[in-house]
Amino acid sequence: MAADLQTISAAREALSSGDVARAEALALAARTEPALALDAIEVLALAAKARGAGERYENLLREAAVLAPERTWPRNDLAEWLHETGRLRDAEAVLRRTIADQPGNPDALMRLGNMLSEREELVEGAEHLEAAIRIVGPHPQLLADLGRNLLRQGRLEEAGPLLAEAAHAMPDALPPLTWLAELEEQAGRFERACAVLSRAEALALRQGSDVTLQRVTLLSRTEEWPMGLAMLEAETAPSGPALLLRGRLRDRAGRKTEAWDDFTAGKDALARAASRSYPARAVGELVRQWQDVFTADRFAGFLPAERRKGVPQPVFILGFPRSGTSLIEQVLASHSRVRAGGELPFGRELAELAHARTQGAFPRDPDGMSEALLDTLGTHLRDHYLARAERYGLLEKGADFFTDKLPLNALYLPLLQLAFPQSPVIVVRRDPRDVMVSAMSHDFTHGFACGYRLEDLALHYARMDALTEHWLEELPVPAHELRYERFVGDQEEETADLMAWLGLDAEPRQMAFHTLPRHAPTPGHAQVREPLNRRSIGRWKGYAKELAPVLPVLTEAIERGGYAAFDSPIASSGAQEPTIN
């Protein structure tokens, strides 16, 4: 046995020195000894990775996980490899199995927490990060990861101390400082943001990097925005986010052609970096399947769930990204009886649940659902949704409603109606041309990654607008249509009408929604902290030439919203200096 142990030790030394062939030979010799098989497999796996033999590396990790299910490294390394190679769902499955078998595995909890955070499932991601901290204590990296997650949720007061502690404990780590500066900026504390960012800049300079983008983001919120534009124009190879920000600043300076060039180049860079593209054909087929399932006659065959008494009910806010949904949510959440839920992922989960409960029939085979399923699906959907809402802290007493503004809910609306047939639906409309300009100037992944080319944006907008109209005509949806431009023009009357429709009296603080301490964790966070203004209405007119190729796709949506002939004093007054939205 001693000789075998020496063989493993020699194999590790050979691997460390770069002699992969010798390491493999020694490990293969030791692998015949059962007591050393796991160590030998580990060496062989590392050697395969060093050679770039990814498939062999993965197979060896899987073999090690079966051989020693109690050990943590095989599953942790397998999940990391799957994540690195873009198989995120497979990585998630491995991590969830690991946590089920090894609930005390902090590495798996951290990895899953960060993975969920990356794809905006922030509440569950935070839960896993918090569980890891309970096991290992306040590790600085875990504190930083959790702080970043809470920052993205808009929970600034909770995120601040975590990021501050992480920055203190890791003085040479740049991310906690930059996240802390971002937090201060989003909270409107610009002097403190500048102070933290100065610390970050000094550290970045020592490390050979920079925080120019964040400095310009901060300047863009002040009268010194031209200085920020000059900084970005001095960049030789700006990143995708930098191009979008530079475009927004050039737009503000009235340099429309240059701004649009930045928008398109920034979007292209972001799409290539993340390998994102819009699956136009697949989305079209999915929409068709949903419409086949939820015709008026078929929908009437489902038994809607009864309202669960004693808990707040969801208010569904439908609208394309950049259409004003964050604004409407902020106005609603300023009311004492309404809580902000944000972009809840529950609609997609209901679709997955419906697919599972129909054993794959939904949505491809609308006739393959049993009568028993038709009678019980709505209740199951309601119970799942409310269980998730409770986990998000949205069912606390003291409120009548909570908001759900995930943009994709236009697709999931029939399932949401089965689960909550009495729940209000607010359909937010804005001139599609203004939406296109605003959407091109910001990064977002909603809508099956439609936001990276103007052509895809227009196609998906047209599809979702037509689908929403279809549901309103076919299904018994209790909907209130709200036009962004009219809301800006008469906030008081529009707010009163909206709240009356919800069965609540408007409250004075709703007129000062921008003072609400809540932070909206969306690209529109800066706008909902400002009083209403007309600056972004008619912004599209500066980009009429650039939008011309997609106008045929948007024509029906424009006319459906009444915008082709829309000639109110608001619209005809002309855009003032455009906001960075």
Side-chain angles (χ1 to χ4, degrees):
M1 177 64 71
D4 289 329
L5 287 173
Q6 290 175 1
T7 301
I8 287 293
S9 178
R12 294 188 188 281
E13 290 178 4
L15 193 62
S16 297
S17 65
D19 192 346
V20 177
R22 174 171 168 75
E24 288 176 322
L26 292 168
L28 285 170
R31 189 174 179 179
T32 59
E33 174 62 49
L36 298 175
L38 184 64
D39 291 310
I41 291 173
E42 182 182 13
V43 173
L44 290 170
L46 294 172
K49 188 176 184 181
R51 288 186 180 277
E55 184 176 355
R56 175 167 170 74
Y57 174 66
E58 180 180 331
N59 289 336
L60 287 164
L61 291 178
R62 292 186 183 278
E63 184 180 350
V66 172
L67 182 63
E70 76 285 354
R71 299 291 291 271
T72 60
W73 67 263
R75 297 196 201 188
N76 291 342
D77 289 359
L78 176 59
E80 182 179 10
W81 172 252
L82 293 170
H83 186 271
E84 289 177 355
T85 54
R87 288 173 287 170
L88 304 185
R89 292 294 181 182
D90 292 340
E92 179 183 346
V94 169
L95 289 169
R96 290 192 184 279
R97 287 197 301 270
T98 300
I99 293 168
D101 296 339
Q102 304 170 357
N105 185 332
D107 190 76
L109 288 164
M110 178 191 70
R111 291 178 188 277
L112 182 57
N114 285 328
M115 186 180 299
L116 292 171
S117 299
E118 286 175 8
R119 70 165 189 248
E120 300 301 322
E121 296 185 18
L122 298 170
V123 172
E124 187 178 357
E127 290 176 351
H128 289 293
L129 293 171
E130 289 165 348
I133 291 172
R134 286 195 295 271
I135 294 170
V136 303
H139 187 283
Q141 187 58 57
L142 283 171
L143 295 179
D145 292 341
L146 179 58
R148 173 61 168 153
N149 175 293
L150 297 175
L151 168 61
R152 291 164 68 185
Q153 288 190 53
R155 296 160 62 180
L156 306 187
E157 291 185 2
E158 299 169 72
L162 296 173
L163 293 174
E165 184 174 348
H168 177 74
M170 299 187 294
D172 294 327
L174 187 58
L177 273 179
T178 60
W179 296 337
L180 189 58
E182 180 182 348
L183 182 150
E184 298 293 354
E185 179 265 325
Q186 292 182 2
R189 298 188 289 261
F190 297 118
E191 289 187 7
R192 290 169 63 173
C194 286
V196 175
L197 196 55
S198 294
R199 291 168 54 196
E201 283 176 326
L203 178 58
L205 184 62
R206 293 198 300 270
Q207 295 179 350
S209 59
D210 67 69
V211 292
T212 299
L213 182 60
Q214 200 157 356
R215 173 63 73 183
V216 176
T217 299
L218 188 58
L219 290 171
S220 72
R221 299 282 306 280
T222 72
E223 294 300 319
E224 297 179 354
W225 63 267
M227 182 188 302
L229 175 56
M231 292 172 65
L232 286 181
E233 291 185 325
E235 293 279 300
T236 56
S239 64
L243 284 166
L244 292 185
L245 179 54
R246 189 175 75 182
R248 295 195 295 272
L249 291 172
R250 283 176 166 174
D251 171 270
R252 190 170 184 175
R255 296 156 59 183
K256 306 296 185 181
T257 300
E258 293 172 284
W260 192 264
D261 289 342
D262 280 344
F263 296 157
T264 54
K267 290 283 193 173
D268 181 65
L270 288 165
R272 285 187 285 104
S275 300
R276 290 176 179 149
S277 61
Y278 179 62
R281 181 174 298 179
V283 174
E285 177 62 17
L286 182 63
V287 169
R288 184 196 63 76
Q289 289 172 354
W290 279 71
Q291 290 177 321
D292 287 347
V293 172
F294 294 114
T295 62
D297 291 341
R298 283 200 172 105
F299 187 82
F302 288 90
L303 181 64
E306 294 183 1
R307 176 171 179 163
R308 186 187 295 178
K309 297 179 180 179
V311 297
Q313 299 296 302
V315 176
F316 300 111
I317 305 174
L318 304 188
F320 206 77
R322 312 303 300 164
S323 66
T325 55
S326 294
L327 164 66
I328 301 308
E329 181 182 53
Q330 192 81 346
V331 171
L332 289 172
S334 300
H335 195 281
S336 61
R337 305 298 300 178
V338 183
R339 300 289 180 267
E343 296 179 348
L344 302 175
F346 307 158
R348 183 185 68 247
E349 295 174 10
L350 295 193
E352 294 170 353
L353 180 60
H355 182 76
R357 291 195 62 81
T358 62
Q359 297 181 329
F362 175 84
R364 294 180 177 85
D365 181 14
D367 296 318
M369 304 181 199
S370 67
E371 186 173 341
L373 180 73
L374 297 178
D375 289 343
T376 59
L377 182 61
T379 300
H380 283 293
L381 297 176
R382 179 203 66 188
D383 291 346
H384 175 88
Y385 187 104
L386 289 178
R388 295 285 282 136
E390 184 173 21
R391 192 171 176 180
Y392 274 53
L394 296 172
L395 301 189
E396 298 176 358
K397 293 183 178 180
D400 297 319
F401 298 105
F402 62 89
T403 58
D404 181 346
K405 63 174 284 287
L406 186 72
L408 278 179
N409 278 345
L411 178 63
Y412 306 129
L413 185 57
L415 294 181
L416 296 170
Q417 281 297 292
L418 285 179
F420 302 98
Q422 296 88 23
S423 280
V425 176
I426 302 170
V427 179
V428 181
R429 298 192 186 279
R430 183 186 179 189
D431 190 318
R433 294 160 292 191
D434 278 335
V435 173
M436 291 298 102
V437 174
S438 188
M440 281 296 292
S441 65
H442 288 89
D443 184 24
F444 61 87
T445 59
H446 293 305
F448 304 95
C450 70
Y452 295 94
R453 295 194 318 148
L454 178 62
E455 297 86 347
D456 297 332
L457 269 170
L459 176 58
H460 196 66
Y461 186 100
R463 281 174 167 169
M464 291 299 103
D465 189 77
L467 183 63
T468 300
E469 187 70 13
H470 175 77
W471 296 143
L472 296 181
E473 293 176 352
E474 289 284 311
L475 308 182
V477 178
H480 176 84
E481 296 193 46
L482 188 151
R483 183 178 288 172
Y484 172 84
E485 292 84 359
R486 286 182 177 166
F487 191 90
V488 171
D490 194 343
Q491 179 189 355
E492 185 171 1
E493 182 177 348
E494 291 287 323
T495 300
D497 288 348
L498 174 61
M499 301 314 296
W501 180 71
L502 291 176
L504 298 171
D505 293 329
E507 295 180 344
R509 67 177 186 167
Q510 290 184 274
M511 297 302 295
F513 65 88
H514 56 285
T515 64
L516 187 71
R518 172 183 176 265
H519 167 71
T522 68
H525 74 85
Q527 283 70 54
V528 299
R529 287 187 172 276
E530 298 177 356
L532 279 185
N533 61 74
R534 305 175 179 181
R535 294 194 299 266
S536 62
I537 295 175
R539 183 183 177 199
W540 68 270
K541 296 174 184 177
Y543 298 96
K545 179 181 176 181
E546 288 78 7
L547 294 175
V550 300
L551 287 183
V553 178
L554 294 171
T555 296
E556 289 187 11
I558 292 170
E559 293 179 350
R560 187 180 294 120
Y563 290 103
F566 192 68
D567 192 28
S568 75
I570 302 169
S572 63
S573 65
Q576 299 174 23
E577 180 183 300
T579 187
I580 303 178
N581 70 346

